[in-house]
Amino acid sequence: MSKENPDTRTFPEIEADNRAISVELGRVQVYLGEKQKEYAEKEHTLKVAMAKSRVALSSVKNPDTGKNYTEQQKEDEALIDNEQLSFAVAVLGAVIEVGKGKLSVLRTQAELVRSEQASARVGYELERTGTR
C-alpha cells in the first residue's frame, strides 16, 4: 500500500495500489501455472522411475533372505533409488501451496482496495463537484 495511514490516502494512490495488486496477482498466477506444469512433469517422471525400479526388483532376490522382495520392500527400494526426484516433487508441491496462499492474500487485498476505491471515488467526486 502506498501510505501507512489508509485514512489519508488519495484516490489516485488507491488506484495505483489497485493496479499494482492486479499486476502482482497476474504475475503470481503465471508463476503458479508454470510450477504446476513443472510439478506434473516431475510427478510423471517419478511415477515412471518408481515403476521401473519396482519391475527391476521383481526378478531379484533379497540378499538378506534369499527370497523375492515383498511389495513393501520393492516400494521402499524404489523410493530410495528415486530419492532426489521424489524430493524435487515434494518441494514443488510445497512451492505450489505457498503460491496458492499468496494468490489468496492478493485476492483479499484486491477486494479491500476495490472497496476502498469505491468509497474514495464518492469522496473524490464530492470534493471535485464542491458538494461536500
Side-chain angles (χ1 to χ4, degrees):
M1 301 248 174
S2 55
K3 282 191 180 177
E4 298 264 338
N5 184 355
D7 293 335
T8 62
R9 288 164 29 99
T10 66
F11 184 69
E13 288 171 332
I14 296 167
E15 283 183 322
D17 282 347
N18 189 30
R19 282 191 300 278
I21 290 170
S22 294
V23 167
E24 180 68 3
L25 188 57
R27 190 189 67 73
V28 170
Q29 285 175 321
V30 167
Y31 176 79
L32 187 55
E34 291 168 355
K35 291 302 171 187
Q36 287 171 322
K37 180 181 182 280
E38 186 180 344
Y39 177 86
E41 290 169 352
K42 278 208 188 309
E43 184 181 45
H44 172 75
T45 302
L46 175 61
K47 286 179 180 179
V48 171
M50 293 284 289
K52 287 179 179 179
S53 293
R54 287 189 302 268
V55 167
L57 290 169
S58 65
S59 61
V60 175
K61 303 278 186 206
N62 183 328
D64 297 331
T65 64
K67 297 179 181 178
N68 288 341
Y69 282 99
T70 65
E71 292 304 313
Q72 185 59 54
Q73 287 171 323
K74 288 179 197 175
E75 194 64 32
D76 293 345
E77 290 291 331
L79 184 58
I80 291 167
D81 289 347
N82 297 287
E83 177 183 1
Q84 289 181 334
L85 188 53
S86 178
F87 181 72
V89 169
V91 168
L92 277 172
V95 167
I96 288 168
E97 289 307 309
V98 169
K100 288 178 181 178
K102 177 73 172 172
L103 278 178
S104 178
V105 167
L106 285 169
R107 286 181 181 131
T108 299
Q109 287 177 335
E111 288 173 24
L112 292 171
V113 168
R114 275 190 228 106
S115 177
E116 184 182 17
Q117 192 175 25
S119 295
R121 184 177 290 122
V122 170
Y124 181 73
E125 286 299 318
L126 290 174
E127 275 184 25
R128 194 177 62 79
T129 60
T131 56
R132 194 176 225 192

